[in-house]
Amino acid sequence: MGDESEGSFRSHLQYLRAFNMLYGDKHVFPDNSNVLPSVGERLMQTRRWQNLRPLGAHFEDIEQSIRNAWGTEMLLSMNGQLAGDDELLRLVNNWSAVQVYYIFYHVTQALMLARNQPRPESHEITKRQYTDEWLGRSIDMAPWSLGVGSAGYINVPAGQSVTNTHHWRRCTEANCVDIAAVALRATRDDRLREAWSEARERKRSQKRKEWREAEKVRLAKGKARRSEPKFPLPRLTESEKKEADQRLRAYSLMDYFWRLRIKTNYKDSSMFTSGPVRASDTKQAYRDLVQIAVATLLVHEMTLAKLIGPTEFVQRMEQWANLNTPRDMGARIYERLALIKNI
């Protein structure tokens, strides 16, 4: 278990580092340099941002979702502040992975409501809408806009290409796109293997159905009843595999964090607790989880502010922060608030 958890942690540590490097966070623990202003500037330079217009929604329409996102960030920050040693921080990281996913979940739901669309009713619908929002158009805002589908990678950063690399390699500026791509491809491949298994089951069910229909015809002709045979799980042809691949949607950063949430909650809860070899790796994982959460909040808050109106959004955001977020708890909402005031 120790070796398996160590290998798994080592992979995801590089994945998290890669996603943060893609938006410009090249720092490692304990450096806390602030790259949020550059993230905001990048977003405002995109055509997607420049084409945004208010759609008539008000803060009350998104209030529950965005407050859930802010509250989740506060808990994420507070847990790290209160974790006094390496052993406790390892446990914190288990829940931090879950909290980061829910930040994606809540801001995506807020964004759909701000666009006057119905609130998504499931995780799958929310993930699909995130994918449509960030991957459904050409935009250079990796890692949020980076994805992978049946035809290959989507929105690879300008001037770069994806090359094969091992995910245990130390993440650098030179290979962060490759490592992030590995994480997204592995996430989609997990689901693709499930889709193939489901297709095999459907194929077996069809054979069983055909046999039973044929048996009804035989019995109607007065022939003796036969014992139903066992139907082994059939293999898929290459064309059937390709068809399943083409039916499967593109996968995004939010899908990766869903995968990480399921892994740490249900499949391998020891990854963050037993996997790190050094205490500094535990701290790096926590830092990168927080950083991607904070940057994800910023790009969605800026979008929401433009859809709803900056004045109303800033007023409500500042009111919530003052009532609920102590400045000494490490939450970054005040830094983002200062940036959004300048939109």
Side-chain angles (χ1 to χ4, degrees):
M1 178 65 72
D3 290 343
E4 183 179 342
S5 296
E6 181 181 338
S8 187
F9 174 80
R10 187 174 176 183
S11 297
H12 286 279
L13 184 65
Q14 298 308 311
Y15 295 159
L16 293 170
R17 190 84 288 275
F19 290 135
N20 278 282
M21 277 196 169
L22 279 176
Y23 70 78
D25 178 18
K26 302 176 177 62
H27 307 284
V28 297
F29 183 86
D31 190 305
N32 289 315
S33 299
N34 188 8
V35 298
L36 290 182
S38 64
V39 174
E41 290 172 6
R42 273 185 62 203
L43 180 65
M44 289 189 289
Q45 290 170 5
T46 63
R47 184 174 299 178
R48 171 185 180 272
W49 165 266
Q50 294 166 2
N51 290 338
L52 287 174
R53 298 291 183 272
L55 297 178
H58 297 282
F59 187 84
E60 288 77 7
D61 300 325
I62 69 161
E63 184 172 12
Q64 178 180 347
S65 293
I66 194 61
R67 287 187 171 184
N68 284 342
W70 291 335
T72 303
E73 184 215 2
M74 183 177 69
L75 292 174
L76 176 65
S77 302
M78 185 181 299
N79 287 340
Q81 290 284 319
L82 297 176
D85 55 31
D86 176 61
E87 184 176 357
L88 184 55
L89 189 58
R90 290 177 184 228
L91 292 172
V92 165
N93 280 344
N94 249 359
W95 286 106
S96 295
V98 178
Q99 290 165 328
V100 173
Y101 167 75
Y102 274 102
I103 285 173
F104 275 85
Y105 177 82
H106 292 307
V107 294
T108 301
Q109 294 212 337
L111 186 54
M112 294 304 104
L113 292 168
R115 290 191 180 281
N116 294 315
Q117 297 182 23
R119 183 189 300 276
E121 296 180 351
S122 69
H123 289 284
E124 177 55 31
I125 294 174
T126 306
K127 289 184 290 177
R128 186 184 297 274
Q129 290 184 324
Y130 174 95
T131 298
D132 291 343
E133 179 71 26
W134 286 100
L135 275 61
R137 67 199 79 189
S138 178
I139 178 174
D140 190 1
M141 274 300 292
W144 302 281
S145 59
L146 182 64
V148 60
S150 60
Y153 294 102
I154 301 166
N155 289 331
V156 176
Q160 301 193 48
S161 59
V162 176
T163 59
N164 291 328
T165 189
H166 196 280
H167 50 281
W168 282 4
R169 290 187 62 187
R170 179 177 173 272
C171 183
T172 66
E173 291 183 59
N175 67 9
C176 62
V177 173
D178 301 326
I179 293 176
V182 169
L184 296 178
R185 170 63 70 184
T187 300
R188 188 175 185 273
D189 283 349
D190 278 355
R191 180 64 189 100
L192 181 58
R193 283 188 287 270
E194 292 176 1
W196 285 340
S197 295
E198 292 162 3
R200 293 177 71 189
E201 284 291 352
R202 287 194 299 271
K203 195 172 182 179
R204 176 161 63 179
S205 296
Q206 182 61 31
K207 288 182 179 296
R208 185 182 293 113
K209 180 180 178 181
E210 290 171 356
W211 186 91
R212 290 173 177 173
E213 291 296 327
E215 185 67 4
K216 287 181 181 179
V217 173
R218 289 183 72 259
L219 294 174
K221 293 178 179 180
K223 295 184 178 181
R225 183 182 299 276
R226 298 176 299 176
S227 297
E228 182 170 302
K230 292 183 178 180
F231 292 90
L233 196 61
R235 294 183 179 274
L236 298 181
T237 65
E238 288 304 314
S239 62
E240 288 171 331
K241 287 184 176 181
K242 184 176 181 180
E243 182 182 354
D245 187 9
Q246 292 174 338
R247 283 200 303 266
L248 185 61
R249 64 173 175 82
Y251 268 47
S252 68
L253 183 61
M254 185 176 179
D255 291 296
Y256 166 79
F257 277 104
W258 168 262
R259 172 192 174 199
L260 190 61
R261 175 222 168 187
I262 296 300
K263 183 178 182 65
T264 56
N265 244 189
Y266 303 109
K267 295 183 177 180
D268 184 11
S269 59
S270 65
M271 184 184 79
F272 280 117
T273 56
S274 302
V277 176
R278 297 175 295 272
S280 60
D281 290 338
T282 301
K283 293 176 181 178
Q284 184 66 51
Y286 174 74
R287 178 192 183 278
D288 283 342
L289 285 165
V290 171
Q291 290 291 97
I292 194 69
V294 169
T296 297
L297 279 162
L298 176 65
V299 296
H300 285 85
E301 287 161 345
M302 290 179 63
T303 303
L304 290 167
K306 199 166 186 186
L307 288 172
I308 292 173
T311 301
E312 181 182 7
F313 188 83
V314 165
Q315 181 182 11
R316 297 300 191 98
M317 185 176 179
E318 189 167 32
Q319 182 183 50
W320 188 93
N322 289 336
L323 287 174
N324 297 283
T325 309
R327 291 180 180 268
D328 58 353
M329 273 300 172
R332 308 280 294 283
I333 191 170
Y334 295 104
E335 296 175 34
R336 301 194 308 275
L337 185 58
L339 295 173
I340 296 170
K341 286 180 176 179
N342 293 323
I343 291 176

